[in-house]
Amino acid sequence: MTTPSASARETTEGTVYTVTGGDWDEFVQSAVKADDERIVLNMGPQHPSTHGVLRLILEIDGETVTEARCGIGYLHTGIEKNLEFRNWTQGTTFVTRADYLTPFFNEQAYCMGVERLLGIEDQIPERARVIRVLLMELNRISSHLVAIATGGMELGATTIMVYGFRDRELILDVFELITGLRMNHAFIRPGGLAQDLPPGAIDQLREFLKTMKKNLPEYDKLATGNPIFKARLQDIGYLDLAGCMALGVTGPILRSTGLAHDLRKTDPYCGYETYDFDVPTADTCDSYGRFLIRLEEMRQSLRIVEQCLDRLQPGPVMVADKKIAWPAQLALGPDGLGNSLDHIKKIMGTSMEALIHHFKLVTEGFRVPPGQVYAAVESPRGELGAHVVSDGGTRPYRVHFRDPSFTNLQAMAAMCEGGQVADVIVAVASIDPVMGGVDR
């Protein structure tokens, strides 16, 4: 019996074959030359601790990780390619599904790119800009809650997982009230928003702020000073500033090195320069620092949400140009959120111009001047950028996303090699990758 992926050794019990795993030819070749202690371990893609469909290929010597690689592509959805076959407004229904934990950030980056190409960035109504910031900061909190909850679950701290999803549910309830959906909203559209805030939204948001301010200290009590929690996170997944800069890592991982880089401050958008908030940093360069940063960022997001509610003034939520503004009005009916029958009766019966615009916008879409732009926002995981290219038509020529999960995953090897197998999960949890954004 001979196999290229097995090496043989004679023992008192007979011939023993050491078989190693892995998909790559180099693994097969190196397995022939390997000593008996070398094992290649496939962790995932079904493993719950790898946040979905991420596959980790670990070469281990005993309990020590000597080599670590990521296997991605198991969740490829063709979002970027699909955008080329839909008009500019329909594109929001695709981009919102990329990083499915941060749909509003995907929509904002894409719409900023489209609006920059159209030259209407300064025409976005103030109320729409404030609501965009409000939704993104709520989304930042919900995303960090998932990161902390799943990270705790992977360490066996199930209580923090229950608390995290409990609080996230409150935010998803608000999203459902405002957009009609808990996820994948397609609510931020080129030119503004799909619709205004519904009745009762502001009251529910103020109630949420009260509840969240009361609940946030519980995470400190559960984890921040917990000696077991700290022992599992401190000095694990270490990556210093030089490593972050070399790999293009952004977000909480970069800020855990002490660099206060946040696009909301360094390259403001959506009026962020007018909001009062701090950029939390740490100097630990490890998983524990990233946990503390996410916790503090949630507090800062609550500050911003409160400022949004205070500055909300009555006004439109879509640009005035009727050749760009999607004309549909939504209403809450017995079958959920859908087109307003009153609005349809109005444009069908009284305004021929509105009917023509509605027909052209829905069937054909508006034209975007040829050119290319890069628009970036600070998502919960780091710099999320959209490279939007137009050839002058009613559909995108090309849209490419710089997703922070994809870039940050490059740091996995640097964080894990030389450490223990048990610490790989902690390191990956501190990266907080979402594979929908990686594979898109």
Side-chain angles (χ1 to χ4, degrees):
M1 172 185 173
T2 58
T3 172
S5 60
S7 57
R9 60 189 171 93
E10 298 298 329
T11 70
T12 53
E13 301 297 321
T15 304
V16 174
Y17 291 93
T18 305
V19 182
T20 56
D23 287 343
W24 294 304
D25 293 340
E26 60 197 74
F27 271 4
V28 175
Q29 296 300 323
S30 59
V32 178
K33 305 168 188 173
D35 60 35
D36 297 334
E37 298 301 316
R38 178 182 175 280
I39 300 172
V40 175
L41 177 70
N42 280 294
M43 190 178 284
Q46 76 287 347
H47 196 286
S49 294
T50 50
H51 296 252
V53 281
L54 169 65
R55 175 178 171 224
L56 303 177
I57 301 103
L58 308 176
E59 182 182 310
I60 58 175
D61 183 3
E63 285 288 312
T64 303
V65 177
T66 56
E67 191 174 348
R69 305 182 187 206
C70 291
I72 63 173
Y74 295 95
L75 197 58
H76 180 53
T77 46
I79 286 171
E80 289 183 358
K81 191 65 182 173
N82 273 307
L83 286 168
E84 298 168 22
F85 299 92
R86 296 292 185 275
N87 68 43
W88 293 96
T89 302
Q90 289 171 330
T92 55
T93 61
F94 283 99
V95 300
T96 190
R97 288 166 163 77
D99 181 341
Y100 39 78
L101 288 184
T102 61
F104 288 116
F105 292 91
N106 302 327
E107 296 169 23
Q108 174 65 22
Y110 169 75
C111 289
M112 272 172 59
V114 178
E115 288 157 4
R116 203 165 289 174
L117 285 170
L118 286 166
I120 61 168
E121 276 188 295
D122 297 333
Q123 299 172 33
I124 307 302
E126 179 61 20
R127 184 174 176 87
R129 286 154 59 95
V130 173
I131 294 173
R132 284 180 176 188
V133 171
L134 171 82
L135 293 172
M136 281 191 285
E137 293 308 317
L138 287 171
N139 204 173
R140 191 182 310 278
I141 299 170
S142 71
S143 178
H144 282 342
L145 284 170
V146 172
I148 290 172
T150 54
M153 178 182 68
E154 288 149 15
L155 299 176
T158 51
T159 308
I160 202 169
M161 183 267 291
V162 172
Y163 279 28
F165 281 103
R166 173 201 66 185
D167 291 337
R168 176 175 178 251
E169 202 68 19
L170 301 174
I171 299 176
L172 296 187
D173 287 343
V174 172
F175 288 165
E176 189 172 6
L177 173 67
I178 294 173
T179 73
L181 294 164
R182 292 158 56 85
M183 299 169 74
N184 306 333
H185 312 277
F187 188 73
I188 297 175
R189 306 272 178 88
L193 304 171
Q195 65 165 358
D196 204 346
L197 295 177
I202 292 176
D203 292 337
Q204 186 161 332
L205 280 164
R206 294 210 183 271
E207 279 302 312
F208 163 75
L209 286 173
K210 283 184 198 169
T211 306
M212 201 62 200
K213 284 179 181 176
K214 182 170 61 70
N215 289 355
L216 266 183
E218 294 176 352
Y219 296 91
D220 281 315
K221 292 176 184 173
L222 274 173
T224 304
N226 186 324
I228 301 173
F229 191 83
K230 288 170 74 174
R232 288 291 281 117
L233 269 69
Q234 285 179 330
D235 299 325
I236 303 300
Y238 184 89
L239 188 69
D240 61 13
L241 179 58
C244 288
M245 300 302 280
L247 295 167
V249 171
T250 53
I253 305 173
L254 177 61
R255 292 191 283 275
S256 72
T257 68
L259 182 65
H261 176 74
D262 188 313
L263 289 176
R264 294 174 295 173
K265 293 282 191 184
T266 58
D267 189 12
Y269 54 93
C270 245
Y272 266 111
E273 65 275 15
T274 65
Y275 292 88
D276 180 28
F277 66 99
D278 301 318
V279 178
T281 60
D283 58 3
T284 59
C285 305
D286 62 6
S287 299
Y288 185 64
R290 291 160 210 150
F291 163 75
L292 294 179
I293 285 171
R294 290 188 175 102
L295 208 52
E296 182 57 31
E297 281 188 4
M298 289 197 285
R299 296 189 185 98
Q300 298 302 322
S301 291
L302 288 177
R303 282 178 66 188
I304 298 173
V305 169
E306 208 157 14
Q307 292 170 62
C308 288
L309 292 176
D310 291 341
R311 65 171 67 180
L312 269 178
Q313 297 295 327
V317 293
M318 183 57 86
V319 289
D321 188 347
K322 294 299 181 187
K323 293 185 178 177
I324 295 172
W326 193 273
Q329 299 292 321
L330 302 179
L332 192 62
D335 55 346
L337 204 63
N339 282 329
S340 163
L341 290 177
D342 291 335
H343 177 70
I344 292 171
K345 285 174 187 172
K346 178 186 172 187
I347 61 173
M348 291 286 284
T350 62
S351 173
M352 178 58 71
E353 186 183 6
L355 179 60
I356 292 169
H357 282 316
H358 191 289
F359 184 78
K360 280 183 70 68
L361 275 175
V362 174
T363 57
E364 181 184 309
F366 51 78
R367 293 188 178 276
V368 172
Q372 57 181 329
V373 296
Y374 176 76
V377 299
E378 184 69 33
S379 94
R381 272 161 274 288
E383 181 178 336
L384 170 65
H387 178 211
V388 185
V389 185
S390 171
D391 59 0
T394 58
R395 298 182 298 190
Y397 176 77
R398 178 78 169 93
V399 177
H400 173 65
F401 276 87
R402 182 230 184 260
D403 192 273
S405 292
F406 179 80
T407 312
N408 294 352
L409 265 180
Q410 294 180 112
M412 197 275 288
M415 289 183 183
C416 298
E417 288 175 2
Q420 303 291 297
V421 177
D423 294 334
V424 171
I425 295 303
V426 179
V428 172
S430 77
I431 295 173
D432 184 30
V434 174
M435 303 312 293
V438 174
D439 294 332
R440 61 190 181 284

